[in-house]
PDB file of all heavy atoms in Angstrom:
ATOM      1  N   VAL A   1    -140.585  17.238 -38.835  1.00 96.00           N
ATOM      2  CA  VAL A   1    -141.546  16.486 -38.092  1.00 96.00           C
ATOM      3  C   VAL A   1    -140.782  15.625 -37.117  1.00 96.00           C
ATOM      4  O   VAL A   1    -139.855  14.854 -37.468  1.00 96.00           O
ATOM      5  CB  VAL A   1    -142.314  15.585 -39.036  1.00 96.00           C
ATOM      6  CG1 VAL A   1    -143.344  14.756 -38.343  1.00 96.00           C
ATOM      7  CG2 VAL A   1    -143.000  16.491 -40.117  1.00 96.00           C
ATOM      8  N   ILE A   2    -141.143  15.727 -35.849  1.00 97.00           N
ATOM      9  CA  ILE A   2    -140.467  15.041 -34.762  1.00 97.00           C
ATOM     10  C   ILE A   2    -141.335  14.012 -34.081  1.00 97.00           C
ATOM     11  O   ILE A   2    -142.436  14.318 -33.595  1.00 97.00           O
ATOM     12  CB  ILE A   2    -139.953  16.076 -33.697  1.00 97.00           C
ATOM     13  CG1 ILE A   2    -138.966  17.075 -34.438  1.00 97.00           C
ATOM     14  CG2 ILE A   2    -139.277  15.378 -32.549  1.00 97.00           C
ATOM     15  CD1 ILE A   2    -138.868  18.383 -33.677  1.00 97.00           C
ATOM     16  N   ASP A   3    -140.799  12.796 -34.025  1.00 96.00           N
ATOM     17  CA  ASP A   3    -141.447  11.745 -33.309  1.00 96.00           C
ATOM     18  C   ASP A   3    -140.637  11.325 -32.103  1.00 96.00           C
ATOM     19  O   ASP A   3    -139.735  10.460 -32.263  1.00 96.00           O
ATOM     20  CB  ASP A   3    -141.699  10.470 -34.221  1.00 96.00           C
ATOM     21  CG  ASP A   3    -142.529   9.365 -33.595  1.00 96.00           C
ATOM     22  OD1 ASP A   3    -142.604   9.396 -32.355  1.00 96.00           O
ATOM     23  OD2 ASP A   3    -143.015   8.545 -34.303  1.00 96.00           O
ATOM     24  N   PRO A   4    -140.874  11.917 -30.933  1.00 95.00           N
ATOM     25  CA  PRO A   4    -139.978  11.693 -29.795  1.00 95.00           C
ATOM     26  C   PRO A   4    -140.108  10.252 -29.232  1.00 95.00           C
ATOM     27  O   PRO A   4    -139.091   9.771 -28.679  1.00 95.00           O
ATOM     28  CB  PRO A   4    -140.533  12.692 -28.741  1.00 95.00           C
ATOM     29  CG  PRO A   4    -141.961  13.010 -29.120  1.00 95.00           C
ATOM     30  CD  PRO A   4    -141.946  12.874 -30.614  1.00 95.00           C
ATOM     31  N   ASP A   5    -141.208   9.591 -29.451  1.00 94.00           N
ATOM     32  CA  ASP A   5    -141.358   8.226 -28.932  1.00 94.00           C
ATOM     33  C   ASP A   5    -140.421   7.247 -29.758  1.00 94.00           C
ATOM     34  O   ASP A   5    -139.912   6.308 -29.197  1.00 94.00           O
ATOM     35  CB  ASP A   5    -142.832   7.721 -29.077  1.00 94.00           C
ATOM     36  CG  ASP A   5    -143.746   8.517 -28.137  1.00 94.00           C
ATOM     37  OD1 ASP A   5    -143.245   9.015 -27.114  1.00 94.00           O
ATOM     38  OD2 ASP A   5    -144.983   8.585 -28.404  1.00 94.00           O
ATOM     39  N   ARG A   6    -140.271   7.497 -31.040  1.00 95.00           N
ATOM     40  CA  ARG A   6    -139.445   6.681 -31.850  1.00 95.00           C
ATOM     41  C   ARG A   6    -138.017   7.280 -32.040  1.00 95.00           C
ATOM     42  O   ARG A   6    -137.195   6.717 -32.774  1.00 95.00           O
ATOM     43  CB  ARG A   6    -140.102   6.457 -33.170  1.00 95.00           C
ATOM     44  CG  ARG A   6    -141.457   5.746 -33.078  1.00 95.00           C
ATOM     45  CD  ARG A   6    -142.190   5.761 -34.434  1.00 95.00           C
ATOM     46  NE  ARG A   6    -141.512   5.075 -35.435  1.00 95.00           N
ATOM     47  CZ  ARG A   6    -141.749   5.195 -36.747  1.00 95.00           C
ATOM     48  NH1 ARG A   6    -142.829   5.997 -37.145  1.00 95.00           N
ATOM     49  NH2 ARG A   6    -141.102   4.539 -37.639  1.00 95.00           N
ATOM     50  N   HIS A   7    -137.831   8.452 -31.503  1.00 97.00           N
ATOM     51  CA  HIS A   7    -136.562   9.164 -31.613  1.00 97.00           C
ATOM     52  C   HIS A   7    -136.127   9.386 -33.063  1.00 97.00           C
ATOM     53  O   HIS A   7    -134.943   9.134 -33.402  1.00 97.00           O
ATOM     54  CB  HIS A   7    -135.392   8.382 -30.805  1.00 97.00           C
ATOM     55  CG  HIS A   7    -135.777   8.074 -29.386  1.00 97.00           C
ATOM     56  ND1 HIS A   7    -135.705   9.062 -28.403  1.00 97.00           N
ATOM     57  CD2 HIS A   7    -136.145   6.936 -28.764  1.00 97.00           C
ATOM     58  CE1 HIS A   7    -136.111   8.579 -27.264  1.00 97.00           C
ATOM     59  NE2 HIS A   7    -136.379   7.273 -27.462  1.00 97.00           N
ATOM     60  N   ILE A   8    -137.053   9.851 -33.835  1.00 97.00           N
ATOM     61  CA  ILE A   8    -136.750  10.129 -35.230  1.00 97.00           C
ATOM     62  C   ILE A   8    -137.308  11.521 -35.633  1.00 97.00           C
ATOM     63  O   ILE A   8    -138.133  12.079 -34.975  1.00 97.00           O
ATOM     64  CB  ILE A   8    -137.335   9.108 -36.180  1.00 97.00           C
ATOM     65  CG1 ILE A   8    -138.869   8.994 -36.103  1.00 97.00           C
ATOM     66  CG2 ILE A   8    -136.789   7.649 -35.958  1.00 97.00           C
ATOM     67  CD1 ILE A   8    -139.539   8.119 -37.126  1.00 97.00           C
ATOM     68  N   LYS A   9    -136.734  12.048 -36.735  1.00 97.00           N
ATOM     69  CA  LYS A   9    -137.174  13.271 -37.401  1.00 97.00           C
ATOM     70  C   LYS A   9    -137.185  13.149 -38.827  1.00 97.00           C
ATOM     71  O   LYS A   9    -136.373  12.373 -39.413  1.00 97.00           O
ATOM     72  CB  LYS A   9    -136.331  14.444 -36.814  1.00 97.00           C
ATOM     73  CG  LYS A   9    -134.912  14.380 -37.304  1.00 97.00           C
ATOM     74  CD  LYS A   9    -134.119  15.628 -36.832  1.00 97.00           C
ATOM     75  CE  LYS A   9    -132.635  15.528 -37.356  1.00 97.00           C
ATOM     76  NZ  LYS A   9    -131.897  16.722 -36.909  1.00 97.00           N
ATOM     77  N   THR A  10    -138.044  13.949 -39.455  1.00 96.00           N
ATOM     78  CA  THR A  10    -138.038  14.059 -40.932  1.00 96.00           C
ATOM     79  C   THR A  10    -138.050  15.514 -41.322  1.00 96.00           C
ATOM     80  O   THR A  10    -138.808  16.337 -40.741  1.00 96.00           O
ATOM     81  CB  THR A  10    -139.273  13.417 -41.520  1.00 96.00           C
ATOM     82  OG1 THR A  10    -139.333  11.975 -41.172  1.00 96.00           O
ATOM     83  CG2 THR A  10    -139.353  13.543 -43.054  1.00 96.00           C
ATOM     84  N   VAL A  11    -137.115  15.935 -42.142  1.00 96.00           N
ATOM     85  CA  VAL A  11    -136.925  17.340 -42.543  1.00 96.00           C
ATOM     86  C   VAL A  11    -137.338  17.511 -43.976  1.00 96.00           C
ATOM     87  O   VAL A  11    -136.862  16.794 -44.874  1.00 96.00           O
ATOM     88  CB  VAL A  11    -135.517  17.787 -42.292  1.00 96.00           C
ATOM     89  CG1 VAL A  11    -135.378  19.368 -42.588  1.00 96.00           C
ATOM     90  CG2 VAL A  11    -135.087  17.515 -40.848  1.00 96.00           C
ATOM     91  N   VAL A  12    -138.258  18.444 -44.257  1.00 95.00           N
ATOM     92  CA  VAL A  12    -138.703  18.738 -45.600  1.00 95.00           C
ATOM     93  C   VAL A  12    -138.672  20.291 -45.789  1.00 95.00           C
ATOM     94  O   VAL A  12    -138.619  21.061 -44.818  1.00 95.00           O
ATOM     95  CB  VAL A  12    -140.151  18.187 -45.879  1.00 95.00           C
ATOM     96  CG1 VAL A  12    -140.100  16.679 -45.763  1.00 95.00           C
ATOM     97  CG2 VAL A  12    -141.062  18.841 -44.948  1.00 95.00           C
ATOM     98  N   PRO A  13    -138.768  20.780 -47.073  1.00 93.00           N
ATOM     99  CA  PRO A  13    -138.817  22.214 -47.261  1.00 93.00           C
ATOM    100  C   PRO A  13    -140.082  22.789 -46.592  1.00 93.00           C
ATOM    101  O   PRO A  13    -141.191  22.236 -46.739  1.00 93.00           O
ATOM    102  CB  PRO A  13    -138.789  22.286 -48.789  1.00 93.00           C
ATOM    103  CG  PRO A  13    -138.221  21.122 -49.259  1.00 93.00           C
ATOM    104  CD  PRO A  13    -138.639  20.005 -48.294  1.00 93.00           C
ATOM    105  N   ALA A  14    -139.928  23.922 -45.992  1.00 91.00           N
ATOM    106  CA  ALA A  14    -141.124  24.628 -45.406  1.00 91.00           C
ATOM    107  C   ALA A  14    -142.019  25.251 -46.457  1.00 91.00           C
ATOM    108  O   ALA A  14    -141.544  25.915 -47.383  1.00 91.00           O
ATOM    109  CB  ALA A  14    -140.659  25.726 -44.438  1.00 91.00           C
ATOM    110  N   PRO A  15    -143.295  24.947 -46.348  1.00 85.00           N
ATOM    111  CA  PRO A  15    -144.220  25.626 -47.354  1.00 85.00           C
ATOM    112  C   PRO A  15    -144.256  27.134 -47.193  1.00 85.00           C
ATOM    113  O   PRO A  15    -144.476  27.595 -46.144  1.00 85.00           O
ATOM    114  CB  PRO A  15    -145.614  24.931 -47.064  1.00 85.00           C
ATOM    115  CG  PRO A  15    -145.447  24.553 -45.661  1.00 85.00           C
ATOM    116  CD  PRO A  15    -144.022  24.216 -45.422  1.00 85.00           C
ATOM    117  N   GLY A  16    -144.194  27.842 -48.345  1.00 77.00           N
ATOM    118  CA  GLY A  16    -144.351  29.297 -48.243  1.00 77.00           C
ATOM    119  C   GLY A  16    -143.226  30.010 -47.534  1.00 77.00           C
ATOM    120  O   GLY A  16    -143.380  31.183 -47.183  1.00 77.00           O
ATOM    121  N   ALA A  17    -142.091  29.369 -47.276  1.00 67.00           N
ATOM    122  CA  ALA A  17    -141.041  29.987 -46.421  1.00 67.00           C
ATOM    123  C   ALA A  17    -140.533  31.264 -46.959  1.00 67.00           C
ATOM    124  O   ALA A  17    -140.114  32.127 -46.218  1.00 67.00           O
ATOM    125  CB  ALA A  17    -139.972  28.990 -46.159  1.00 67.00           C
ATOM    126  N   ALA A  18    -140.399  31.380 -48.263  1.00 66.00           N
ATOM    127  CA  ALA A  18    -139.774  32.535 -48.917  1.00 66.00           C
ATOM    128  C   ALA A  18    -140.521  33.821 -48.660  1.00 66.00           C
ATOM    129  O   ALA A  18    -139.945  34.916 -48.798  1.00 66.00           O
ATOM    130  CB  ALA A  18    -139.637  32.291 -50.393  1.00 66.00           C
ATOM    131  N   SER A  19    -141.807  33.771 -48.241  1.00 66.00           N
ATOM    132  CA  SER A  19    -142.553  34.971 -48.202  1.00 66.00           C
ATOM    133  C   SER A  19    -143.177  35.309 -46.861  1.00 66.00           C
ATOM    134  O   SER A  19    -144.136  36.032 -46.729  1.00 66.00           O
ATOM    135  CB  SER A  19    -143.682  34.888 -49.281  1.00 66.00           C
ATOM    136  OG  SER A  19    -144.490  33.729 -49.060  1.00 66.00           O
ATOM    137  N   VAL A  20    -142.738  34.602 -45.774  1.00 79.00           N
ATOM    138  CA  VAL A  20    -143.301  34.760 -44.488  1.00 79.00           C
ATOM    139  C   VAL A  20    -142.621  35.998 -43.903  1.00 79.00           C
ATOM    140  O   VAL A  20    -141.509  35.977 -43.445  1.00 79.00           O
ATOM    141  CB  VAL A  20    -143.100  33.556 -43.633  1.00 79.00           C
ATOM    142  CG1 VAL A  20    -143.563  33.889 -42.166  1.00 79.00           C
ATOM    143  CG2 VAL A  20    -143.895  32.375 -44.176  1.00 79.00           C
ATOM    144  N   ASP A  21    -143.323  37.115 -43.909  1.00 82.00           N
ATOM    145  CA  ASP A  21    -142.802  38.374 -43.392  1.00 82.00           C
ATOM    146  C   ASP A  21    -143.920  39.126 -42.624  1.00 82.00           C
ATOM    147  O   ASP A  21    -144.870  39.523 -43.227  1.00 82.00           O
ATOM    148  CB  ASP A  21    -142.327  39.245 -44.550  1.00 82.00           C
ATOM    149  CG  ASP A  21    -141.743  40.587 -44.115  1.00 82.00           C
ATOM    150  OD1 ASP A  21    -141.847  40.937 -42.909  1.00 82.00           O
ATOM    151  OD2 ASP A  21    -141.171  41.303 -44.952  1.00 82.00           O
ATOM    152  N   PRO A  22    -143.789  39.121 -41.284  1.00 85.00           N
ATOM    153  CA  PRO A  22    -144.854  39.690 -40.524  1.00 85.00           C
ATOM    154  C   PRO A  22    -145.194  41.154 -40.840  1.00 85.00           C
ATOM    155  O   PRO A  22    -146.285  41.648 -40.611  1.00 85.00           O
ATOM    156  CB  PRO A  22    -144.360  39.640 -39.078  1.00 85.00           C
ATOM    157  CG  PRO A  22    -143.323  38.519 -39.078  1.00 85.00           C
ATOM    158  CD  PRO A  22    -142.660  38.575 -40.414  1.00 85.00           C
ATOM    159  N   SER A  23    -144.269  41.844 -41.455  1.00 83.00           N
ATOM    160  CA  SER A  23    -144.511  43.307 -41.806  1.00 83.00           C
ATOM    161  C   SER A  23    -145.327  43.480 -43.099  1.00 83.00           C
ATOM    162  O   SER A  23    -145.717  44.588 -43.314  1.00 83.00           O
ATOM    163  CB  SER A  23    -143.170  44.065 -41.837  1.00 83.00           C
ATOM    164  OG  SER A  23    -142.396  43.643 -42.974  1.00 83.00           O
ATOM    165  N   ARG A  24    -145.489  42.435 -43.825  1.00 87.00           N
ATOM    166  CA  ARG A  24    -146.122  42.484 -45.139  1.00 87.00           C
ATOM    167  C   ARG A  24    -147.565  41.973 -45.078  1.00 87.00           C
ATOM    168  O   ARG A  24    -147.800  40.883 -44.467  1.00 87.00           O
ATOM    169  CB  ARG A  24    -145.330  41.766 -46.200  1.00 87.00           C
ATOM    170  CG  ARG A  24    -144.050  42.358 -46.556  1.00 87.00           C
ATOM    171  CD  ARG A  24    -143.381  41.493 -47.705  1.00 87.00           C
ATOM    172  NE  ARG A  24    -144.223  41.427 -48.875  1.00 87.00           N
ATOM    173  CZ  ARG A  24    -144.022  40.608 -49.876  1.00 87.00           C
ATOM    174  NH1 ARG A  24    -142.967  39.685 -49.824  1.00 87.00           N
ATOM    175  NH2 ARG A  24    -144.748  40.558 -50.938  1.00 87.00           N
ATOM    176  N   ARG A  25    -148.506  42.685 -45.695  1.00 89.00           N
ATOM    177  CA  ARG A  25    -149.789  42.155 -45.920  1.00 89.00           C
ATOM    178  C   ARG A  25    -149.731  41.146 -47.109  1.00 89.00           C
ATOM    179  O   ARG A  25    -148.850  41.223 -47.963  1.00 89.00           O
ATOM    180  CB  ARG A  25    -150.816  43.205 -46.225  1.00 89.00           C
ATOM    181  CG  ARG A  25    -151.095  44.069 -44.969  1.00 89.00           C
ATOM    182  CD  ARG A  25    -152.093  45.132 -45.297  1.00 89.00           C
ATOM    183  NE  ARG A  25    -152.364  46.010 -44.166  1.00 89.00           N
ATOM    184  CZ  ARG A  25    -153.362  45.775 -43.285  1.00 89.00           C
ATOM    185  NH1 ARG A  25    -154.143  44.777 -43.420  1.00 89.00           N
ATOM    186  NH2 ARG A  25    -153.528  46.615 -42.269  1.00 89.00           N
ATOM    187  N   ALA A  26    -150.670  40.189 -47.123  1.00 87.00           N
ATOM    188  CA  ALA A  26    -150.735  39.259 -48.248  1.00 87.00           C
ATOM    189  C   ALA A  26    -151.128  40.013 -49.543  1.00 87.00           C
ATOM    190  O   ALA A  26    -151.882  40.971 -49.514  1.00 87.00           O
ATOM    191  CB  ALA A  26    -151.789  38.192 -47.969  1.00 87.00           C
ATOM    192  N   GLU A  27    -150.514  39.571 -50.595  1.00 79.00           N
ATOM    193  CA  GLU A  27    -150.882  40.056 -51.941  1.00 79.00           C
ATOM    194  C   GLU A  27    -151.743  39.005 -52.652  1.00 79.00           C
ATOM    195  O   GLU A  27    -152.062  37.939 -52.092  1.00 79.00           O
ATOM    196  CB  GLU A  27    -149.674  40.416 -52.736  1.00 79.00           C
ATOM    197  CG  GLU A  27    -148.867  41.534 -52.115  1.00 79.00           C
ATOM    198  CD  GLU A  27    -147.572  41.849 -52.845  1.00 79.00           C
ATOM    199  OE1 GLU A  27    -147.206  41.116 -53.864  1.00 79.00           O
ATOM    200  OE2 GLU A  27    -146.826  42.738 -52.454  1.00 79.00           O
ATOM    201  N   GLY A  28    -152.198  39.319 -53.819  1.00 82.00           N
ATOM    202  CA  GLY A  28    -153.078  38.395 -54.474  1.00 82.00           C
ATOM    203  C   GLY A  28    -154.535  38.845 -54.323  1.00 82.00           C
ATOM    204  O   GLY A  28    -154.852  40.041 -54.097  1.00 82.00           O
ATOM    205  N   THR A  29    -155.494  38.004 -54.460  1.00 88.00           N
ATOM    206  CA  THR A  29    -156.898  38.261 -54.477  1.00 88.00           C
ATOM    207  C   THR A  29    -157.550  37.972 -53.164  1.00 88.00           C
ATOM    208  O   THR A  29    -157.597  36.855 -52.705  1.00 88.00           O
ATOM    209  CB  THR A  29    -157.625  37.499 -55.564  1.00 88.00           C
ATOM    210  OG1 THR A  29    -157.015  37.827 -56.868  1.00 88.00           O
ATOM    211  CG2 THR A  29    -159.109  37.948 -55.652  1.00 88.00           C
ATOM    212  N   TRP A  30    -157.927  39.023 -52.429  1.00 93.00           N
ATOM    213  CA  TRP A  30    -158.661  38.881 -51.145  1.00 93.00           C
ATOM    214  C   TRP A  30    -159.909  39.812 -51.180  1.00 93.00           C
ATOM    215  O   TRP A  30    -159.852  40.878 -51.697  1.00 93.00           O
ATOM    216  CB  TRP A  30    -157.742  39.306 -50.010  1.00 93.00           C
ATOM    217  CG  TRP A  30    -156.553  38.466 -49.852  1.00 93.00           C
ATOM    218  CD1 TRP A  30    -155.394  38.526 -50.542  1.00 93.00           C
ATOM    219  CD2 TRP A  30    -156.410  37.381 -48.867  1.00 93.00           C
ATOM    220  NE1 TRP A  30    -154.444  37.558 -50.074  1.00 93.00           N
ATOM    221  CE2 TRP A  30    -155.028  36.855 -49.034  1.00 93.00           C
ATOM    222  CE3 TRP A  30    -157.173  36.872 -47.890  1.00 93.00           C
ATOM    223  CZ2 TRP A  30    -154.604  35.854 -48.298  1.00 93.00           C
ATOM    224  CZ3 TRP A  30    -156.671  35.836 -47.113  1.00 93.00           C
ATOM    225  CH2 TRP A  30    -155.431  35.317 -47.301  1.00 93.00           C
ATOM    226  N   LEU A  31    -160.956  39.379 -50.539  1.00 93.00           N
ATOM    227  CA  LEU A  31    -162.202  40.140 -50.455  1.00 93.00           C
ATOM    228  C   LEU A  31    -162.595  40.158 -48.981  1.00 93.00           C
ATOM    229  O   LEU A  31    -162.859  39.122 -48.401  1.00 93.00           O
ATOM    230  CB  LEU A  31    -163.271  39.511 -51.318  1.00 93.00           C
ATOM    231  CG  LEU A  31    -164.657  40.218 -51.228  1.00 93.00           C
ATOM    232  CD1 LEU A  31    -164.567  41.628 -51.759  1.00 93.00           C
ATOM    233  CD2 LEU A  31    -165.687  39.405 -52.002  1.00 93.00           C
ATOM    234  N   ARG A  32    -162.646  41.349 -48.421  1.00 94.00           N
ATOM    235  CA  ARG A  32    -163.127  41.502 -47.095  1.00 94.00           C
ATOM    236  C   ARG A  32    -164.680  41.293 -47.014  1.00 94.00           C
ATOM    237  O   ARG A  32    -165.411  41.962 -47.764  1.00 94.00           O
ATOM    238  CB  ARG A  32    -162.771  42.940 -46.577  1.00 94.00           C
ATOM    239  CG  ARG A  32    -163.075  43.111 -45.078  1.00 94.00           C
ATOM    240  CD  ARG A  32    -163.093  44.641 -44.722  1.00 94.00           C
ATOM    241  NE  ARG A  32    -161.881  45.271 -45.113  1.00 94.00           N
ATOM    242  CZ  ARG A  32    -160.854  45.561 -44.297  1.00 94.00           C
ATOM    243  NH1 ARG A  32    -160.965  45.254 -42.975  1.00 94.00           N
ATOM    244  NH2 ARG A  32    -159.744  46.177 -44.752  1.00 94.00           N
ATOM    245  N   THR A  33    -165.117  40.328 -46.213  1.00 94.00           N
ATOM    246  CA  THR A  33    -166.545  40.047 -46.201  1.00 94.00           C
ATOM    247  C   THR A  33    -167.253  40.352 -44.894  1.00 94.00           C
ATOM    248  O   THR A  33    -168.412  40.149 -44.768  1.00 94.00           O
ATOM    249  CB  THR A  33    -166.748  38.521 -46.476  1.00 94.00           C
ATOM    250  OG1 THR A  33    -166.011  37.726 -45.500  1.00 94.00           O
ATOM    251  CG2 THR A  33    -166.255  38.153 -47.911  1.00 94.00           C
ATOM    252  N   GLY A  34    -166.516  40.859 -43.920  1.00 94.00           N
ATOM    253  CA  GLY A  34    -167.168  41.153 -42.646  1.00 94.00           C
ATOM    254  C   GLY A  34    -166.204  40.933 -41.521  1.00 94.00           C
ATOM    255  O   GLY A  34    -165.008  40.936 -41.600  1.00 94.00           O
TER     256      GLY A  34
END
């Protein structure tokens, strides 16, 4: 998170970072509705 006006940043672990792969479809429970 970057605040350029205050010249500060905060670094935290990225949510879901371990599984972000553009070549993979999501697993789990999904229902196509239209």
Side-chain angles (χ1 to χ4, degrees):
V1 181
I2 299 162
D3 185 339
D5 294 335
R6 298 169 62 196
H7 304 287
I8 62 175
K9 66 179 179 180
T10 299
V11 183
V12 297
S19 56
V20 175
D21 181 350
S23 68
R24 292 181 58 192
R25 290 180 181 269
E27 297 177 356
T29 303
W30 296 81
L31 176 65
R32 188 196 303 262
T33 59

